[in-house]
Amino acid sequence: MLPLLLEKPIATWYLVIQGDVLKAELPYFDICVANIPYQISSPLTFKLLSHRPVFRCAVIMFQREFAMRLVANPGDNLYCRLSVNTQLLARISHLLKIGRNNFKPPPKVDSSVVRIEPRSPLPPVSFKEWDGLIRLCFNRKNKTLGAIFKHKSVLSLLEKNYKTARALQQGQTGQADEKEPINDMEVFADMVEDPSADMYGVRDEGDEMEVEEDDVMAEGSDISDFKEMVMGVLKHGDFAEKRASKLTQVEFLYLLSIFNKAGIHFA
């Protein structure tokens, strides 16, 4: 094989593309092997996962904390929105840790090499809806879902979505259904724009957001009926006392499905 390769000009073996990988249109590729600037970890990961046609495998070195969030399981301290979203789209495995002293000069952080294998086919879910639910649940990941969904701001947003969806359904009566495109994964890439993310795109989701007492929905208010509907969905699925930090992919998918079945949407 080598003699045959040597007969061809070196320029035909590979293609060099100079530019910003986040802005460039990537060509077809089967395997990706990369040592990347850590500050683009999240947007590059989701850019790769949204690339079509689907590649076979990517082996990438990340900052160790980011890598451990990618592979975190329910119940782990680092299990977060990043974990859930990436694992929805791909099988991710940790290959090896690389200590900072393996580099000269040594950086301030350790690294890890991770293998990413995109799932095919993808779950039949709207990723905008999915990310809306996951974003809400992991905003206070250690609180019960029942407590999260009782807050006035959450109920107001969901009720607005509920009324909008009902109006659209009534307006489309007798017309062919227009389904939302499934391939809307670019919604995930904005996670690094969150102001709570550090310079490497690792979000600190361990701290719970404190909410004032008057932000909790009072009984007898105008949307108390809608609150009962939301609580009914959570109780029906046995989710009211569960926490996002403990839920699996299957449980999140089921939670989204029963909300959608009740006409409640997150995007």
Side-chain angles (χ1 to χ4, degrees):
M1 183 65 181
L2 183 58
L4 292 177
L5 289 175
L6 293 177
E7 291 177 1
K8 299 181 180 180
I10 293 179
T12 64
W13 296 3
Y14 57 86
L15 174 65
V16 176
I17 302 176
Q18 182 178 0
D20 186 339
V21 68
L22 297 181
K23 297 178 180 179
E25 182 176 349
L26 300 180
Y28 166 80
F29 64 92
D30 189 35
I31 295 176
C32 172
V33 179
N35 174 15
I36 66 173
Y38 290 161
Q39 65 267 26
I40 67 169
S41 295
S42 187
L44 179 60
T45 297
F46 288 105
K47 181 181 177 72
L48 293 175
L49 289 175
S50 64
H51 184 69
R52 294 296 179 270
V54 177
F55 60 92
R56 181 158 57 94
C57 175
V59 177
I60 304 176
M61 186 166 72
F62 294 112
Q63 177 190 348
R64 179 164 175 78
E65 185 178 359
F66 183 90
M68 299 314 292
R69 287 176 185 253
L70 287 178
V71 301
N73 294 314
D76 293 347
N77 288 335
L78 292 178
Y79 188 61
C80 61
R81 179 176 160 230
L82 175 67
S83 316
V84 178
N85 282 341
T86 51
Q87 292 173 28
L88 176 75
L89 306 175
R91 289 177 290 273
I92 304 176
S93 54
H94 182 267
L95 298 182
L96 72 155
K97 175 184 176 181
I98 302 178
R100 66 193 73 184
N101 292 327
N102 288 287
F103 302 92
K104 292 184 179 180
K108 295 181 179 180
V109 296
D110 293 323
S111 303
S112 280
V113 177
V114 169
R115 178 169 57 207
I116 301 173
E117 299 173 278
R119 298 186 186 277
S120 183
L122 291 172
V125 62
S126 164
F127 297 115
K128 289 183 180 179
E129 282 257 21
W130 169 268
D131 189 54
L133 171 65
I134 300 303
R135 186 190 297 267
L136 175 61
C137 292
F138 276 92
N139 196 28
R140 307 174 183 90
K141 71 174 185 178
N142 291 317
K143 288 187 178 291
T144 64
L145 296 182
I148 292 173
F149 281 89
K150 285 180 182 177
H151 287 293
K152 181 178 179 180
S153 58
V154 173
L155 289 170
S156 297
L157 176 62
L158 293 182
E159 186 188 28
K160 181 180 178 181
N161 291 347
Y162 175 75
K163 290 180 177 179
T164 300
R166 291 198 64 182
L168 289 174
Q169 289 175 354
Q170 292 173 358
Q172 293 177 355
T173 302
Q175 300 179 11
D177 292 338
E178 295 183 4
K179 295 184 178 180
E180 183 177 359
I182 294 297
N183 188 20
D184 51 3
M185 287 181 289
E186 66 275 5
V187 67
F188 294 148
D190 68 352
M191 284 198 290
V192 293
E193 298 175 4
D194 191 298
S196 63
D198 68 14
M199 65 178 294
Y200 295 114
V202 177
R203 181 179 177 181
D204 183 6
E205 295 183 270
D207 296 333
E208 295 182 7
M209 180 183 295
E210 295 297 329
V211 180
E212 300 295 335
E213 289 296 328
D214 59 2
D215 191 38
V216 178
M217 194 62 206
E219 296 296 336
S221 66
D222 292 339
I223 59 173
S224 59
D225 290 342
F226 183 74
K227 174 186 174 182
E228 291 181 6
M229 178 191 298
V230 172
M231 293 299 107
V233 171
L234 291 175
K235 291 177 182 178
H236 172 73
D238 195 26
F239 285 106
E241 298 302 319
K242 293 183 178 179
R243 292 168 169 79
S245 59
K246 308 289 186 181
L247 295 184
T248 65
Q249 290 281 333
V250 172
E251 288 175 311
F252 276 121
L253 286 167
Y254 178 54
L255 177 60
L256 179 60
S257 71
I258 59 176
F259 267 123
N260 287 171
K261 187 175 181 180
I264 300 172
H265 297 273
F266 297 86

PDB file of all heavy atoms in Angstrom, residues 73-96:
ATOM      1  N   ASN A  73     -22.883  10.217  35.167  1.00  0.00           N
ATOM      2  CA  ASN A  73     -24.125   9.450  35.248  1.00  0.00           C
ATOM      3  C   ASN A  73     -25.075  10.075  36.263  1.00  0.00           C
ATOM      4  O   ASN A  73     -24.646  10.863  37.122  1.00  0.00           O
ATOM      5  CB  ASN A  73     -23.821   8.004  35.658  1.00  0.00           C
ATOM      6  CG  ASN A  73     -23.031   7.263  34.602  1.00  0.00           C
ATOM      7  OD1 ASN A  73     -23.351   7.318  33.415  1.00  0.00           O
ATOM      8  ND2 ASN A  73     -21.985   6.561  35.028  1.00  0.00           N
ATOM      9  N   PRO A  74     -26.371   9.738  36.198  1.00  0.00           N
ATOM     10  CA  PRO A  74     -27.314  10.251  37.194  1.00  0.00           C
ATOM     11  C   PRO A  74     -26.826   9.963  38.613  1.00  0.00           C
ATOM     12  O   PRO A  74     -26.399   8.851  38.921  1.00  0.00           O
ATOM     13  CB  PRO A  74     -28.604   9.484  36.884  1.00  0.00           C
ATOM     14  CG  PRO A  74     -28.503   9.159  35.430  1.00  0.00           C
ATOM     15  CD  PRO A  74     -27.047   8.895  35.182  1.00  0.00           C
ATOM     16  N   GLY A  75     -26.880  10.976  39.459  1.00  0.00           N
ATOM     17  CA  GLY A  75     -26.414  10.837  40.834  1.00  0.00           C
ATOM     18  C   GLY A  75     -24.997  11.322  41.049  1.00  0.00           C
ATOM     19  O   GLY A  75     -24.605  11.594  42.186  1.00  0.00           O
ATOM     20  N   ASP A  76     -24.201  11.434  39.979  1.00  0.00           N
ATOM     21  CA  ASP A  76     -22.845  11.966  40.110  1.00  0.00           C
ATOM     22  C   ASP A  76     -22.899  13.473  40.370  1.00  0.00           C
ATOM     23  O   ASP A  76     -23.797  14.166  39.891  1.00  0.00           O
ATOM     24  CB  ASP A  76     -22.032  11.714  38.833  1.00  0.00           C
ATOM     25  CG  ASP A  76     -21.755  10.238  38.594  1.00  0.00           C
ATOM     26  OD1 ASP A  76     -21.969   9.441  39.531  1.00  0.00           O
ATOM     27  OD2 ASP A  76     -21.335   9.892  37.473  1.00  0.00           O
ATOM     28  N   ASN A  77     -21.912  13.982  41.088  1.00  0.00           N
ATOM     29  CA  ASN A  77     -21.876  15.417  41.381  1.00  0.00           C
ATOM     30  C   ASN A  77     -21.788  16.261  40.114  1.00  0.00           C
ATOM     31  O   ASN A  77     -22.315  17.377  40.065  1.00  0.00           O
ATOM     32  CB  ASN A  77     -20.690  15.737  42.297  1.00  0.00           C
ATOM     33  CG  ASN A  77     -20.894  15.235  43.715  1.00  0.00           C
ATOM     34  OD1 ASN A  77     -22.033  15.064  44.163  1.00  0.00           O
ATOM     35  ND2 ASN A  77     -19.805  14.996  44.425  1.00  0.00           N
ATOM     36  N   LEU A  78     -21.114  15.750  39.090  1.00  0.00           N
ATOM     37  CA  LEU A  78     -20.916  16.512  37.859  1.00  0.00           C
ATOM     38  C   LEU A  78     -22.018  16.287  36.824  1.00  0.00           C
ATOM     39  O   LEU A  78     -21.958  16.836  35.728  1.00  0.00           O
ATOM     40  CB  LEU A  78     -19.550  16.174  37.244  1.00  0.00           C
ATOM     41  CG  LEU A  78     -18.332  16.652  38.037  1.00  0.00           C
ATOM     42  CD1 LEU A  78     -17.042  16.220  37.348  1.00  0.00           C
ATOM     43  CD2 LEU A  78     -18.346  18.169  38.212  1.00  0.00           C
ATOM     44  N   TYR A  79     -23.011  15.479  37.151  1.00  0.00           N
ATOM     45  CA  TYR A  79     -24.125  15.233  36.223  1.00  0.00           C
ATOM     46  C   TYR A  79     -24.896  16.529  36.028  1.00  0.00           C
ATOM     47  O   TYR A  79     -25.358  17.144  36.988  1.00  0.00           O
ATOM     48  CB  TYR A  79     -25.030  14.156  36.804  1.00  0.00           C
ATOM     49  CG  TYR A  79     -26.119  13.652  35.882  1.00  0.00           C
ATOM     50  CD1 TYR A  79     -25.815  13.042  34.670  1.00  0.00           C
ATOM     51  CD2 TYR A  79     -27.460  13.753  36.250  1.00  0.00           C
ATOM     52  CE1 TYR A  79     -26.813  12.545  33.848  1.00  0.00           C
ATOM     53  CE2 TYR A  79     -28.466  13.255  35.440  1.00  0.00           C
ATOM     54  CZ  TYR A  79     -28.138  12.656  34.234  1.00  0.00           C
ATOM     55  OH  TYR A  79     -29.133  12.170  33.419  1.00  0.00           O
ATOM     56  N   CYS A  80     -25.030  16.976  34.784  1.00  0.00           N
ATOM     57  CA  CYS A  80     -25.575  18.297  34.515  1.00  0.00           C
ATOM     58  C   CYS A  80     -26.259  18.311  33.150  1.00  0.00           C
ATOM     59  O   CYS A  80     -26.377  17.285  32.474  1.00  0.00           O
ATOM     60  CB  CYS A  80     -24.462  19.344  34.563  1.00  0.00           C
ATOM     61  SG  CYS A  80     -23.157  19.064  33.333  1.00  0.00           S
ATOM     62  N   ARG A  81     -26.687  19.488  32.757  1.00  0.00           N
ATOM     63  CA  ARG A  81     -27.362  19.656  31.465  1.00  0.00           C
ATOM     64  C   ARG A  81     -26.471  19.211  30.312  1.00  0.00           C
ATOM     65  O   ARG A  81     -26.940  18.599  29.342  1.00  0.00           O
ATOM     66  CB  ARG A  81     -27.754  21.125  31.313  1.00  0.00           C
ATOM     67  CG  ARG A  81     -28.449  21.470  30.012  1.00  0.00           C
ATOM     68  CD  ARG A  81     -28.877  22.931  30.040  1.00  0.00           C
ATOM     69  NE  ARG A  81     -29.104  23.416  28.692  1.00  0.00           N
ATOM     70  CZ  ARG A  81     -28.594  24.540  28.208  1.00  0.00           C
ATOM     71  NH1 ARG A  81     -27.817  25.289  28.967  1.00  0.00           N
ATOM     72  NH2 ARG A  81     -28.856  24.913  26.977  1.00  0.00           N
ATOM     73  N   LEU A  82     -25.183  19.514  30.404  1.00  0.00           N
ATOM     74  CA  LEU A  82     -24.241  19.084  29.372  1.00  0.00           C
ATOM     75  C   LEU A  82     -24.221  17.560  29.258  1.00  0.00           C
ATOM     76  O   LEU A  82     -24.234  17.008  28.147  1.00  0.00           O
ATOM     77  CB  LEU A  82     -22.844  19.610  29.696  1.00  0.00           C
ATOM     78  CG  LEU A  82     -21.716  19.160  28.770  1.00  0.00           C
ATOM     79  CD1 LEU A  82     -21.901  19.754  27.375  1.00  0.00           C
ATOM     80  CD2 LEU A  82     -20.356  19.556  29.339  1.00  0.00           C
ATOM     81  N   SER A  83     -24.206  16.867  30.390  1.00  0.00           N
ATOM     82  CA  SER A  83     -24.195  15.399  30.391  1.00  0.00           C
ATOM     83  C   SER A  83     -25.420  14.849  29.674  1.00  0.00           C
ATOM     84  O   SER A  83     -25.317  13.970  28.805  1.00  0.00           O
ATOM     85  CB  SER A  83     -24.177  14.870  31.833  1.00  0.00           C
ATOM     86  OG  SER A  83     -23.276  15.557  32.655  1.00  0.00           O
ATOM     87  N   VAL A  84     -26.590  15.364  30.038  1.00  0.00           N
ATOM     88  CA  VAL A  84     -27.841  14.836  29.505  1.00  0.00           C
ATOM     89  C   VAL A  84     -27.947  15.093  28.006  1.00  0.00           C
ATOM     90  O   VAL A  84     -28.332  14.208  27.231  1.00  0.00           O
ATOM     91  CB  VAL A  84     -29.040  15.467  30.245  1.00  0.00           C
ATOM     92  CG1 VAL A  84     -30.353  14.962  29.667  1.00  0.00           C
ATOM     93  CG2 VAL A  84     -28.973  15.139  31.727  1.00  0.00           C
ATOM     94  N   ASN A  85     -27.602  16.300  27.578  1.00  0.00           N
ATOM     95  CA  ASN A  85     -27.747  16.645  26.166  1.00  0.00           C
ATOM     96  C   ASN A  85     -26.780  15.872  25.273  1.00  0.00           C
ATOM     97  O   ASN A  85     -27.154  15.399  24.197  1.00  0.00           O
ATOM     98  CB  ASN A  85     -27.552  18.149  25.970  1.00  0.00           C
ATOM     99  CG  ASN A  85     -28.772  18.945  26.379  1.00  0.00           C
ATOM    100  OD1 ASN A  85     -29.874  18.412  26.478  1.00  0.00           O
ATOM    101  ND2 ASN A  85     -28.594  20.227  26.630  1.00  0.00           N
ATOM    102  N   THR A  86     -25.536  15.751  25.692  1.00  0.00           N
ATOM    103  CA  THR A  86     -24.575  15.031  24.856  1.00  0.00           C
ATOM    104  C   THR A  86     -24.884  13.539  24.822  1.00  0.00           C
ATOM    105  O   THR A  86     -24.778  12.899  23.770  1.00  0.00           O
ATOM    106  CB  THR A  86     -23.135  15.246  25.354  1.00  0.00           C
ATOM    107  OG1 THR A  86     -23.060  14.974  26.757  1.00  0.00           O
ATOM    108  CG2 THR A  86     -22.673  16.659  25.091  1.00  0.00           C
ATOM    109  N   GLN A  87     -25.297  12.977  25.956  1.00  0.00           N
ATOM    110  CA  GLN A  87     -25.582  11.547  25.994  1.00  0.00           C
ATOM    111  C   GLN A  87     -26.871  11.193  25.263  1.00  0.00           C
ATOM    112  O   GLN A  87     -27.083  10.037  24.899  1.00  0.00           O
ATOM    113  CB  GLN A  87     -25.621  11.068  27.443  1.00  0.00           C
ATOM    114  CG  GLN A  87     -24.251  11.112  28.114  1.00  0.00           C
ATOM    115  CD  GLN A  87     -24.294  10.803  29.591  1.00  0.00           C
ATOM    116  OE1 GLN A  87     -25.168  10.077  30.061  1.00  0.00           O
ATOM    117  NE2 GLN A  87     -23.356  11.360  30.344  1.00  0.00           N
ATOM    118  N   LEU A  88     -27.735  12.185  25.048  1.00  0.00           N
ATOM    119  CA  LEU A  88     -28.907  11.955  24.201  1.00  0.00           C
ATOM    120  C   LEU A  88     -28.476  11.711  22.756  1.00  0.00           C
ATOM    121  O   LEU A  88     -29.078  10.908  22.044  1.00  0.00           O
ATOM    122  CB  LEU A  88     -29.844  13.161  24.251  1.00  0.00           C
ATOM    123  CG  LEU A  88     -31.070  13.097  23.338  1.00  0.00           C
ATOM    124  CD1 LEU A  88     -32.115  12.146  23.915  1.00  0.00           C
ATOM    125  CD2 LEU A  88     -31.669  14.485  23.129  1.00  0.00           C
ATOM    126  N   LEU A  89     -27.415  12.394  22.339  1.00  0.00           N
ATOM    127  CA  LEU A  89     -26.987  12.375  20.943  1.00  0.00           C
ATOM    128  C   LEU A  89     -25.876  11.379  20.655  1.00  0.00           C
ATOM    129  O   LEU A  89     -25.648  11.031  19.493  1.00  0.00           O
ATOM    130  CB  LEU A  89     -26.507  13.773  20.533  1.00  0.00           C
ATOM    131  CG  LEU A  89     -27.482  14.928  20.765  1.00  0.00           C
ATOM    132  CD1 LEU A  89     -26.816  16.249  20.418  1.00  0.00           C
ATOM    133  CD2 LEU A  89     -28.750  14.731  19.958  1.00  0.00           C
ATOM    134  N   ALA A  90     -25.163  10.928  21.695  1.00  0.00           N
ATOM    135  CA  ALA A  90     -23.983  10.101  21.435  1.00  0.00           C
ATOM    136  C   ALA A  90     -23.674   9.190  22.616  1.00  0.00           C
ATOM    137  O   ALA A  90     -24.071   9.460  23.752  1.00  0.00           O
ATOM    138  CB  ALA A  90     -22.774  10.995  21.150  1.00  0.00           C
ATOM    139  N   ARG A  91     -22.947   8.116  22.313  1.00  0.00           N
ATOM    140  CA  ARG A  91     -22.357   7.275  23.358  1.00  0.00           C
ATOM    141  C   ARG A  91     -20.969   7.838  23.641  1.00  0.00           C
ATOM    142  O   ARG A  91     -20.148   7.983  22.725  1.00  0.00           O
ATOM    143  CB  ARG A  91     -22.264   5.819  22.892  1.00  0.00           C
ATOM    144  CG  ARG A  91     -23.604   5.119  22.801  1.00  0.00           C
ATOM    145  CD  ARG A  91     -23.457   3.708  22.273  1.00  0.00           C
ATOM    146  NE  ARG A  91     -23.080   3.727  20.862  1.00  0.00           N
ATOM    147  CZ  ARG A  91     -23.956   3.795  19.864  1.00  0.00           C
ATOM    148  NH1 ARG A  91     -25.249   3.853  20.119  1.00  0.00           N
ATOM    149  NH2 ARG A  91     -23.545   3.808  18.614  1.00  0.00           N
ATOM    150  N   ILE A  92     -20.709   8.132  24.901  1.00  0.00           N
ATOM    151  CA  ILE A  92     -19.467   8.808  25.264  1.00  0.00           C
ATOM    152  C   ILE A  92     -18.728   7.974  26.303  1.00  0.00           C
ATOM    153  O   ILE A  92     -19.324   7.521  27.287  1.00  0.00           O
ATOM    154  CB  ILE A  92     -19.750  10.215  25.817  1.00  0.00           C
ATOM    155  CG1 ILE A  92     -20.565  11.017  24.801  1.00  0.00           C
ATOM    156  CG2 ILE A  92     -18.454  10.941  26.136  1.00  0.00           C
ATOM    157  CD1 ILE A  92     -20.979  12.385  25.280  1.00  0.00           C
ATOM    158  N   SER A  93     -17.451   7.768  26.085  1.00  0.00           N
ATOM    159  CA  SER A  93     -16.655   6.976  27.020  1.00  0.00           C
ATOM    160  C   SER A  93     -15.332   7.676  27.305  1.00  0.00           C
ATOM    161  O   SER A  93     -14.739   8.312  26.426  1.00  0.00           O
ATOM    162  CB  SER A  93     -16.400   5.569  26.466  1.00  0.00           C
ATOM    163  OG  SER A  93     -15.833   5.629  25.170  1.00  0.00           O
ATOM    164  N   HIS A  94     -14.899   7.565  28.547  1.00  0.00           N
ATOM    165  CA  HIS A  94     -13.626   8.152  28.973  1.00  0.00           C
ATOM    166  C   HIS A  94     -12.506   7.163  28.671  1.00  0.00           C
ATOM    167  O   HIS A  94     -12.575   5.998  29.061  1.00  0.00           O
ATOM    168  CB  HIS A  94     -13.682   8.465  30.468  1.00  0.00           C
ATOM    169  CG  HIS A  94     -12.443   9.102  31.000  1.00  0.00           C
ATOM    170  ND1 HIS A  94     -11.412   8.380  31.547  1.00  0.00           N
ATOM    171  CD2 HIS A  94     -12.063  10.404  31.050  1.00  0.00           C
ATOM    172  CE1 HIS A  94     -10.452   9.204  31.936  1.00  0.00           C
ATOM    173  NE2 HIS A  94     -10.823  10.437  31.647  1.00  0.00           N
ATOM    174  N   LEU A  95     -11.470   7.620  27.974  1.00  0.00           N
ATOM    175  CA  LEU A  95     -10.381   6.731  27.579  1.00  0.00           C
ATOM    176  C   LEU A  95      -9.200   6.801  28.536  1.00  0.00           C
ATOM    177  O   LEU A  95      -8.725   5.777  29.013  1.00  0.00           O
ATOM    178  CB  LEU A  95      -9.925   7.059  26.150  1.00  0.00           C
ATOM    179  CG  LEU A  95     -10.982   6.879  25.052  1.00  0.00           C
ATOM    180  CD1 LEU A  95     -10.387   7.196  23.689  1.00  0.00           C
ATOM    181  CD2 LEU A  95     -11.557   5.463  25.072  1.00  0.00           C
ATOM    182  N   LEU A  96      -8.713   8.001  28.818  1.00  0.00           N
ATOM    183  CA  LEU A  96      -7.585   8.112  29.740  1.00  0.00           C
ATOM    184  C   LEU A  96      -7.431   9.531  30.253  1.00  0.00           C
ATOM    185  O   LEU A  96      -7.858  10.494  29.604  1.00  0.00           O
ATOM    186  CB  LEU A  96      -6.278   7.680  29.077  1.00  0.00           C
ATOM    187  CG  LEU A  96      -5.654   8.596  28.018  1.00  0.00           C
ATOM    188  CD1 LEU A  96      -4.157   8.363  27.938  1.00  0.00           C
ATOM    189  CD2 LEU A  96      -6.274   8.357  26.648  1.00  0.00           C
TER     190      LEU A  96
END
